[in-house]
């Protein structure tokens, strides 16, 4: 190891030590770095929305958020190629550095001046571009820092961190916005990204061996460094050649499209329609986050799941039933309890899906596979917002929830039809 910090060279962080993901210091550093990043991400989107709302109309707020999502979704696929070529740690460090600089630069501009909407659009685009490389890189790291039998526990921790970040980030940003305005909020977000960067610098990884399948799908040895285009095509060919991974990715897409909009926009609209106000919506969103956190915590403590494939499908069925249940007015308490139940089911489902995908993926393709998963998780999901809004306009809010539940049912059918998915297991140790 050269220099003062870790490199992509192997330093046996997990293998042979007998440590579990709960106490392994290397996994812990990755986890806390990921936590800072997730809190920063959710706080960033909240602060960006607020700043845009102060500078423009609702349509312009939508433009700011949408224009940043486009490059993020498009470039995530190429981000996976970059991850596989240069290594997940290298790409995570480079992209996290850029995220820190972009947000720190915005906070400095806001301290010195009151810029127009154009600066927010520029930041949204730049941040979206850089995030397209960070997400697949940080998502590929678990396979490189722990043993296969630890993946369930690590993915449980990952989901717990995501849900906590999504729950903590917005109110934290809101409190700082109320106290010190946009400049203070973005300065705080920059500090979070800086802390994430420092911790990632000290994460050690094990080497990801390149199996012969890379040669089979590209026609070239990895040392020959096929062009990015061929590597991306090989990544899609690899997913198609692995029916279980293809089925999991398609099911994940159905889950994201069918749940993101009703569990964000839908809960707010339902609370408003029933006179429960923002407090009612806040309790429902908190219940969902708490439910997802509970399921992730249980997975973290257990570290293994019997009949994991069947459990995965049952959790998806419960989540679909819960979203359908939101269509019926059972009062505020039922609204909150149903949201919590959905959180438990989809939190368990998401953690298992990521563990399955990483366990089934050859190391040479982990970056490209995780880039596709990132596009599905962070790029396709927001497509549900305009679809959900259009559905409400045509069939009303309750029926829109039922339609979204139907989309999740399509995902269940895809999984049930696959014997490989039904019989999925994960190593335990």
């Amino acid at each position: 190891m050269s220099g003062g910090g870790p490199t992509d060279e192997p330093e046996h962080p997990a293998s042979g030590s007998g440590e579990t993901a709960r106490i392994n210091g290397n996994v812990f550093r990755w986890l806390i770095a990921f936590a800072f990043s997730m809190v920063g991400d959710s706080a960033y989107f909240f602060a960006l929305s607020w700043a845009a709302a102060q500078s423009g109309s609702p349509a312009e707020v939508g433009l700011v958020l949408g224009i940043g999502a486009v490059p993020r979704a498009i470039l995530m696929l190429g981000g996976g190629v970059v991850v596989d070529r240069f290594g997940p740690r290298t790409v995570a460090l480079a992209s996290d550095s850029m995220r820190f600089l972009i947000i720190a630069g915005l906070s400095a501009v806001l301290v010195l001046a009151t810029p127009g909407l154009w600066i927010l659009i520029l930041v949204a685009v730049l941040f979206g571009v850089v995030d397209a490389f960070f997400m697949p890189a940080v998502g590929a790291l678990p396979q490189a820092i722990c043993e296969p039998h630890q993946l369930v526990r690590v993915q449980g921790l990952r989901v717990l961190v995501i849900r906590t970040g999504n729950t903590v980030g917005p109110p934290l940003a809101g409190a700082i916005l109320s106290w010190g305005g946009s400049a203070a909020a973005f300065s705080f977000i920059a500090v979070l990204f800086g802390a994430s960067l420092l911790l990632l610098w000290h994460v050690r990884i094990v080497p990801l061996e390149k199996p012969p399948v890379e040669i089979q799908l590209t026609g070239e040895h990895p040392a020959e460094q096929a062009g990015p285009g061929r590597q991306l095509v090989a990544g899609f060919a690899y997913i198609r050649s692995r029916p279980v991974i293809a089925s999991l990715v398609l099911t994940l897409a159905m889950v994201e499209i069918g749940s993101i909009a009703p569990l964000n926009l839908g809960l707010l609209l339902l609370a408003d329609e029933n006179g429960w106000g923002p407090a009612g919506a806040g309790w429902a969103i908190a219940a969902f986050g708490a439910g997802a956190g509970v399921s992730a915590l249980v997975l973290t403590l257990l570290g293994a799941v019997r009949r994991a494939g069947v459990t995965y499908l049952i959790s998806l069925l419960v989540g679909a039933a819960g979203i359908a249940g939101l269509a019926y007015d059972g009062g505020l308490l039922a609204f909150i309890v149903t949201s919590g139940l959905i959180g438990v089911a989809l939190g368990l489902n998401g953690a298992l899906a990521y563990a399955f995908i990483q366990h089934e993926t050859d190391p040479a393709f982990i970056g490209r596979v995780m880039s596709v998963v990132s596009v599905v998780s962070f790029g396709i999901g927001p497509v549900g917002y305009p679809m959900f809004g259009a559905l409400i306009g045509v069939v009303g809010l309750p029926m829109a929830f039922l339609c979204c539940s139907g989309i999740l049912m399509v995902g269940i059918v895809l999984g049930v039809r696959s014997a490989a998915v039904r019989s999925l297991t994960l190593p335990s140790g």
Side-chain angles (χ1 to χ4, degrees):
M1 179 171 61
S2 60
T7 70
D8 280 337
E9 297 300 317
E11 291 199 20
H12 50 78
S15 59
S17 65
E19 291 180 295
T20 69
R22 286 176 292 179
I23 60 175
N24 182 279
N26 196 47
V27 173
F28 184 74
R29 286 189 291 273
W30 168 80
L31 182 69
I32 300 303
F34 189 51
F36 281 134
S37 178
M38 288 298 100
V39 174
D41 263 352
S42 59
Y44 158 75
F45 284 110
F46 186 91
L48 185 70
S49 302
W50 178 265
Q54 307 311 301
S55 304
S57 66
E60 290 172 324
V61 176
L63 173 65
V64 171
L65 296 179
I67 205 169
V70 171
R72 189 183 194 218
I74 293 173
L75 293 175
M76 271 186 184
L77 294 174
V81 174
V82 174
V83 170
D84 284 335
R85 173 165 290 194
F86 296 102
R89 181 178 173 276
T90 299
V91 177
L93 286 173
S95 53
D96 213 13
S97 299
M98 292 302 299
R99 297 197 316 162
F100 167 74
L101 292 174
I102 290 168
I103 301 304
L106 174 61
S107 64
V109 170
L110 292 173
V111 167
L112 299 173
T114 306
L117 201 64
W118 68 269
I119 188 67
L120 300 180
I121 293 175
L122 177 62
V123 166
V125 171
L126 292 176
F127 191 88
V129 169
V130 174
D131 221 30
F133 294 90
F134 179 77
M135 285 301 177
V138 78
L141 277 172
Q143 194 192 62
I145 61 176
C146 68
E147 295 179 349
H149 72 266
Q150 296 174 312
L151 276 175
V152 168
R153 184 171 283 119
V154 171
Q155 293 302 334
L157 288 167
R158 177 185 173 278
V159 172
L160 181 61
V161 164
I162 291 174
R163 299 306 181 188
T164 301
N166 290 340
T167 301
V168 171
L172 193 57
I176 297 174
L177 282 164
S178 300
W179 168 69
S182 294
F186 283 110
S187 296
F188 173 72
I189 295 165
V191 170
L192 289 174
F193 288 148
S196 169
L197 177 62
L198 288 174
L199 285 166
L200 283 177
W201 176 255
H202 290 90
V203 170
R204 304 182 302 275
I205 72 170
V206 295
L208 299 180
E209 297 179 0
K210 308 291 186 179
V213 70
E214 177 82 31
I215 305 174
Q216 298 171 12
L217 294 175
T218 64
E220 303 178 34
H221 192 276
E224 297 175 16
Q225 293 295 312
R230 292 198 66 179
Q231 288 188 333
L232 182 57
V233 170
F236 283 113
Y238 174 79
I239 292 175
R240 288 197 304 270
S241 72
R242 298 295 190 276
V244 65
I245 297 177
S247 179
L248 288 167
V249 170
L250 286 174
T251 300
L252 186 60
M254 296 299 102
V255 173
E256 294 298 324
I257 294 173
S259 65
I260 292 296
L263 295 177
N264 287 280
L265 177 60
L267 292 180
L268 293 171
L269 295 176
L270 196 60
D272 182 61
E273 185 176 281
N274 287 282
W276 298 324
W283 278 110
I285 293 172
F288 174 82
V294 166
S295 63
L297 183 60
V298 169
L299 277 178
T300 300
L301 295 174
L302 291 177
V305 177
R306 289 187 177 182
R307 300 188 61 125
V310 174
T311 302
Y312 166 78
L313 292 171
I314 291 174
S315 66
L316 186 51
L317 178 62
V318 173
I323 290 177
L326 291 173
Y328 301 96
D329 181 10
L332 179 58
L333 180 60
F335 175 56
I336 295 171
V337 171
T338 302
S339 298
L341 178 64
I342 296 170
V344 171
L346 295 187
L348 174 61
N349 181 265
L352 287 175
Y354 270 77
F356 288 146
I357 290 170
Q358 294 208 343
H359 180 255
E360 296 291 325
T361 299
D362 293 311
F365 288 88
I366 186 64
R368 278 163 284 184
V369 171
M370 290 310 299
S371 72
V372 173
V373 172
S374 295
V375 169
V376 168
S377 299
F378 302 103
I380 290 181
V383 172
Y385 286 114
M387 182 191 73
F388 190 70
L391 277 173
I392 294 171
V394 175
V395 301
L397 185 57
M399 187 58 68
F401 277 107
L402 291 176
C403 290
C404 288
S405 176
I407 293 173
L408 266 68
M409 291 300 296
V410 173
I412 295 171
V413 171
L414 289 172
V416 169
R417 289 183 61 187
S418 172
V421 171
R422 297 196 305 269
S423 61
L424 275 171
T425 59
L426 289 166
S428 60

